Amino acid sequence: MGRADARRARQRDARRAGKAGGIRRFFTWRKLLGTFFTLCLLGMGALFIVYLLVPVPTANAQAEKESNVYKYSDGSVLTRTGTVNREIVGLDKIPDEVEKAFVAAENKTFYKDSGVDLKGTARGVLNTLTGKGKQGGSTITQQYVKNYYLNQDQTVTRKLKELVISLKVDQEKDKEEILAGYLNTSYYGRGAYGIQAAAQAYYRKDAQKLTVAEGAYLAALLQAPSQYDWAVASPTGRKLVSERWNYVLDNMVGENWLDSSTRSGLKFPVPKEPKVAPGMEGQTGYLVKAANAELAKRGVGEDQIEAGGWTITLSIDKKRQDALVKAVDEQLEKKLDRKGDKRDATVQAGATSVDPKTGKVVALYGGVGATEHWISNATRRDYQPASTFKPIVLASALESRAETQDGRRIGLNTIYDGDSKRPVEGSDTPFAPENEDDRSYGPVTVQRATNSSINSVYAQMIVDVGPAKVKETALGLGMHDGEGWPVRPAMSLGTMGASTWDMAAVYATLDNHGEQVTPSIVKDAKHRTREAGAAAEGGDRVISREAADTVTQAMTGVVRSGSGRNAQGDYYAAGKTGTSENNRSAWFVGYTPELVTAVGLFGEDAKGSQVTLTDTVNEGRANGGGVPAMIWQQYTTGALGGGSDERFDLELMEPVQEEPPASPSGSPSESEEPDEPSDKPSQSEEPDDRPSNSPDPTPSDDESTGPGDSTGTSEGTDSGTTEGGGTDSGTTEGGEGDGGTGNAGTTDGTTSGTTSGVRPRPQNT
């Protein structure tokens, strides 16, 4: 390198060093620290100015609390709510240990802090800015200020005001006054504001008589009143509130507010059942509760609803709602003696009706009345859906193009062994379910097995498909996962929990050709200062149209001449019956092209335990093909204005061609030749309820008939089915027979063809 090149290199290096040095001179630690402290001083100055400018406002104290208006879909008023349930009590009326329980739950440093939690407030502001919603971390003073002086809005402005006012209130009031205000203004759920109202709502006693265990529960409840209300909480909610209850008591011990020996002897104080507020009688309370639950999922918490000012329009069609209530009254309630017969008093009914094109819930039946039976039978998930789950097994089989153990593709004409107690093949878990009345059918088609709800066929089918795949299909169609859902062959009998709302969603998705339908009961929710989030939307394809439509085709046979014949009317219909373990629940879930409705009967004693429905509404079994199907039929007829000519527009899977099986030995000859789709009403056949080579079955409640159905139907209950050498999670279930009718199914059709469903009508007798 020459001298000139060396000189240029040194000059270049010097320039680079100069630039780096300039940057270092600009970003020195001294300058960075100076900038940081300057910003801190500016922030403190701004906060001081805000502190001076923001006064402590006049307390709202819910004095101007507005009512909420709930309306039917046509705009007519369903009900108004808004009376404040609160009674102010002083700390002298609240046991000291109960006071300490709230401090231990929410703010252990309450007696020593300045009334604010800067870190928690900063976190709340950040979460508000980033759209993460409500966050904890506020002190008791801040929560009191929010309740007493401000509102529940989740805005940065409100959080900053809360911070400033809390600092002032902490300076102006003593801790005892602040704590009393907090206890008397907090919302505890069940419409109760303040600890006195909460003590009455949960334990039917005054606040001064609360025990430390009860006080700890009420303190734990404040974190999530709806989720932690023991009476309506899910298993997860109960677990969480139990953990928080223990957390509160442990904190009390840690702060020397509770003796450890006393704490070890405390048991969780289960609260009493809730009492529904006046104006919530009949179905109104169930409708309001369902609407509020949906709004909570859309970002409007119970505390915001209770603050009032909402106009909430439901999707409920008043005429259809009235028709549903009338159907239950005439087909069930008039047959019961609730006051004079303890068995009749255990019968509960629930129903959900959905428009499959929009997902809107147009009618809902929650029980005898929200002020008499506070749990909604429409949305509860503690009963088994039984054989109404079988169409999901079929849908999964068709969608996955599953094959039998010997390699035959599963379709409506596929032949299975329908013998009772037949052990399933290909499963690691032994399972040999019993059919209704232990009846053996011999070789039967899937269509016949669907009509007659043959357990042994569907137990084998779920093994052929794979229980895990069937569960995946069920969740996609609209069911909800939870405890008590083992992925085993007994799933085919519907041994998990489900609500009528859930099953309406599943069947609506099938009715909607496999595109997901998510039921929604809130049509619109308006408030002058806040908005509800958008309703959940369906529309995603869960299974192919051909698979969904072929399941629909199968279920038209159930209504035409299977276990669901009592659902026949002046409309085209598909559906499925179900009767669970020990006859504790009985279902009919069905649909027309325009309307999907799930109806369930549930046996529940005064303590909330599940009991049998046998010998209640009638002698013998209470089957899905009986009262539930008759409720469904009367409601659907009324909801459709007497009937409908609209047909199912079905695009079916390519049919499976198999030779029809011979009749089972010892039973009447019945043709398994599938019928072609027809637009004419099919004629009901005389049922044959006799099992093969067995005595006459016991009398069935299904001897009662639906409109124009002189033959009735027969549908079975559990028969003590075991799995793996024992019960499957304590769950067993038997079949629902169609009364021995022949195969009334139809062919699978073709992928290119389109056919309408059959329009079963009752015969004139």
Side-chain angles (χ1 to χ4, degrees):
M1 178 184 297
R3 292 182 179 178
D5 292 336
R7 185 172 60 253
R8 284 194 295 270
R10 287 195 297 271
Q11 290 173 346
R12 185 170 59 249
D13 293 341
R15 285 195 300 270
R16 290 176 178 172
K19 290 180 179 179
I23 293 173
R24 284 195 294 269
R25 285 193 298 272
F26 184 76
F27 287 105
T28 62
W29 282 111
R30 182 177 298 176
K31 289 186 177 182
L32 288 174
L33 288 173
T35 302
F36 174 75
F37 284 120
T38 300
L39 291 174
C40 289
L41 289 172
L42 289 173
M44 293 173 64
L47 185 61
F48 180 70
I49 294 173
V50 172
Y51 181 86
L52 294 176
L53 294 178
V54 175
V56 176
T58 303
N60 64 38
Q62 298 294 329
E64 298 179 357
K65 182 176 182 289
E66 300 176 79
S67 65
N68 293 316
V69 180
Y70 293 82
K71 297 182 177 182
Y72 288 105
S73 60
D74 63 1
S76 58
V77 175
L78 168 66
T79 189
R80 296 177 185 272
T81 65
T83 302
V84 179
N85 178 21
R86 186 184 64 230
E87 179 183 343
I88 303 296
V89 294
L91 288 188
D92 59 325
K93 300 294 185 181
I94 304 173
D96 183 67
E97 287 183 332
V98 172
E99 296 176 29
K100 295 296 193 300
F102 283 85
V103 177
E106 296 292 325
N107 180 193
K108 290 189 294 182
T109 63
F110 169 70
Y111 294 108
K112 298 174 287 186
D113 63 35
S114 61
V116 298
D117 177 3
L118 292 175
K119 182 187 292 186
T121 301
R123 184 170 62 249
V125 170
L126 179 61
N127 284 305
T128 299
L129 289 171
T130 56
K132 293 184 179 179
K134 297 174 66 175
Q135 297 291 322
S138 297
T139 65
I140 282 178
T141 305
Q142 287 176 271
Q143 294 181 60
Y144 163 61
V145 166
K146 179 181 67 174
N147 295 335
Y148 196 63
Y149 297 104
L150 301 173
N151 54 47
Q152 307 298 321
D153 290 350
Q154 297 299 310
T155 64
V156 173
T157 301
R158 203 272 296 157
K159 293 294 290 184
L160 291 176
K161 284 184 178 179
E162 175 190 301
L163 178 67
V164 172
I165 296 171
S166 296
L167 288 169
K168 289 190 172 184
V169 167
D170 189 73
Q171 294 295 317
E172 297 174 5
K173 298 186 177 184
D174 60 39
K175 293 291 187 179
E176 295 297 304
E177 187 178 358
I178 293 172
L179 180 59
Y182 169 71
L183 295 176
N184 281 297
T185 57
S186 294
Y187 180 65
Y188 295 78
R190 298 192 181 183
Y193 283 92
I195 191 169
Q196 171 65 10
Q200 287 290 341
Y202 288 91
Y203 293 109
R204 308 284 195 271
K205 60 174 64 173
D206 289 334
Q208 63 183 347
K209 295 182 180 180
L210 287 171
T211 66
V212 65
E214 292 166 345
Y217 172 75
L218 295 181
L221 192 68
L222 289 181
Q223 190 175 64
S226 297
Q227 184 183 8
Y228 289 174
D229 185 342
W230 190 266
V232 295
S234 65
T236 299
R238 289 187 172 187
K239 178 182 178 183
L240 291 174
V241 74
S242 297
E243 291 174 350
R244 186 155 178 82
W245 179 78
N246 282 299
Y247 165 82
V248 172
L249 294 174
D250 290 344
N251 279 354
M252 292 183 70
V253 172
E255 296 294 322
N256 295 317
W257 295 334
L258 181 66
D259 184 77
S260 59
S261 60
T262 302
R263 189 264 179 268
S264 63
L266 296 177
K267 295 182 179 180
F268 186 84
V270 176
K272 297 183 181 297
E273 297 178 358
K275 290 183 177 180
V276 181
M280 294 290 109
E281 297 85 358
Q283 299 305 305
T284 300
Y286 301 128
L287 296 175
V288 169
K289 182 178 179 181
N292 289 350
E294 181 173 322
L295 286 172
K297 294 178 181 178
R298 293 163 61 175
V300 182
E302 186 178 2
D303 54 349
Q304 292 176 292
I305 291 293
E306 287 295 329
W310 289 91
T311 298
I312 302 165
T313 303
L314 279 58
S315 57
I316 297 295
D317 182 311
K318 191 176 187 306
K319 291 182 179 179
R320 288 179 169 179
Q321 179 68 25
D322 292 343
L324 181 56
V325 173
K326 182 179 180 181
V328 176
D329 286 345
E330 295 185 357
Q331 297 297 337
L332 176 66
E333 292 300 326
K334 288 184 179 180
K335 301 176 182 179
L336 298 175
D337 180 9
R338 291 192 178 277
K339 294 183 178 179
D341 191 320
K342 292 182 179 179
R343 293 177 301 178
D344 282 3
T346 65
V347 180
Q348 297 292 334
T352 303
S353 186
V354 177
D355 181 337
K357 295 180 176 63
T358 64
K360 298 299 183 184
V361 177
V362 297
L364 181 144
Y365 187 90
V368 292
T371 56
E372 302 167 63
H373 183 264
W374 48 271
I375 293 179
S376 174
N377 296 323
T379 56
R380 67 190 304 169
R381 292 194 176 112
D382 51 340
Y383 282 83
Q384 298 173 4
S387 290
T388 61
F389 186 80
K390 286 175 180 172
I392 299 174
V393 180
L394 178 58
S396 190
L398 296 172
E399 176 67 12
S400 61
R401 303 185 74 82
E403 297 180 345
T404 62
Q405 296 295 305
D406 56 3
R408 294 173 291 120
R409 186 165 65 82
I410 299 174
L412 299 191
N413 292 338
T414 302
I415 297 170
Y416 273 91
D417 185 342
D419 284 348
S420 184
K421 299 179 182 177
R422 172 190 176 276
V424 296
E425 299 176 3
S427 173
D428 294 334
T429 304
F431 188 41
E434 182 177 309
N435 295 333
E436 177 206 0
D437 294 329
D438 199 21
R439 177 177 181 178
S440 289
Y441 291 82
V444 291
T445 64
V446 168
Q447 178 66 67
R448 172 68 189 281
T450 305
N451 289 0
S452 303
S453 201
I454 301 175
N455 286 341
S456 56
V457 171
Y458 272 90
Q460 183 61 58
M461 188 187 298
I462 201 171
V463 172
D464 295 342
V465 181
K469 186 177 291 294
V470 172
K471 182 173 182 179
E472 181 181 351
T473 301
L475 297 178
L477 288 170
M479 293 187 73
H480 291 262
D481 204 352
E483 297 180 10
W485 190 331
V487 184
R488 295 156 71 178
M491 275 173 54
S492 61
L493 307 184
T495 55
M496 68 297 294
S499 67
T500 66
W501 185 292
D502 296 337
M503 299 312 293
V506 169
Y507 281 56
T509 299
L510 294 173
D511 197 2
N512 197 37
H513 310 294
E515 291 188 3
Q516 189 178 50
V517 175
T518 302
S520 171
I521 198 171
V522 177
K523 180 179 178 181
D524 185 58
K526 297 179 179 178
H527 192 281
R528 69 174 186 275
T529 64
R530 61 192 77 113
E531 296 181 358
E537 295 183 1
D540 294 336
R541 180 159 294 283
V542 180
I543 59 175
S544 69
R545 173 165 185 163
E546 290 79 11
D549 288 358
T550 302
V551 176
T552 296
Q553 183 77 318
M555 287 193 285
T556 63
V558 175
V559 176
R560 181 196 298 109
S561 54
S563 58
R565 284 174 294 174
N566 275 332
Q568 292 179 9
D570 193 15
Y571 39 69
Y572 296 84
K576 186 70 186 74
T577 55
T579 307
S580 74
E581 176 190 10
N582 295 328
N583 201 193
R584 292 172 180 169
S585 64
W587 299 68
F588 184 79
V589 187
Y591 51 94
T592 71
E594 311 102 310
L595 195 63
V596 180
T597 307
V599 179
L601 296 187
F602 313 112
E604 180 186 40
D605 64 17
K607 297 180 180 179
S609 301
Q610 295 186 12
V611 296
T612 185
L613 292 166
T614 302
D615 295 328
T616 53
V617 65
N618 43 240
E619 292 185 5
R621 298 185 296 262
N623 297 318
V627 170
M630 290 188 283
I631 291 172
W632 189 96
Q633 192 276 342
Q634 180 175 330
Y635 162 69
T636 301
T637 298
L640 297 179
S644 173
D645 291 326
E646 187 169 345
R647 304 176 181 179
F648 291 112
D649 179 18
L650 305 181
E651 296 179 8
L652 307 176
M653 299 187 76
E654 183 178 352
V656 172
Q657 300 297 342
E658 293 196 20
E659 290 297 322
S663 298
S665 175
S667 65
S669 176
E670 297 169 351
S671 172
E672 290 289 344
E673 190 69 33
D675 300 328
E676 291 296 325
S678 169
D679 289 340
K680 296 181 180 180
S682 59
Q683 303 299 312
S684 298
E685 301 176 18
E686 288 295 325
D688 176 10
D689 289 336
R690 301 175 184 271
S692 302
N693 300 318
S694 65
D696 292 348
T698 56
S700 167
D701 66 295
D702 284 322
E703 291 174 359
S704 60
T705 61
D709 187 352
S710 60
T711 61
T713 62
S714 176
E715 183 218 8
T717 61
D718 74 288
S719 302
T721 304
T722 61
E723 178 191 15
T727 60
D728 179 72
S729 299
T731 307
T732 60
E733 191 227 3
E736 299 99 26
D738 66 348
T741 62
N743 174 46
T746 60
T747 60
D748 293 27
T750 62
T751 55
S752 59
T754 301
T755 183
S756 62
V758 177
R759 184 183 192 185
R761 302 175 189 254
Q763 286 181 273
N764 294 322
T765 57

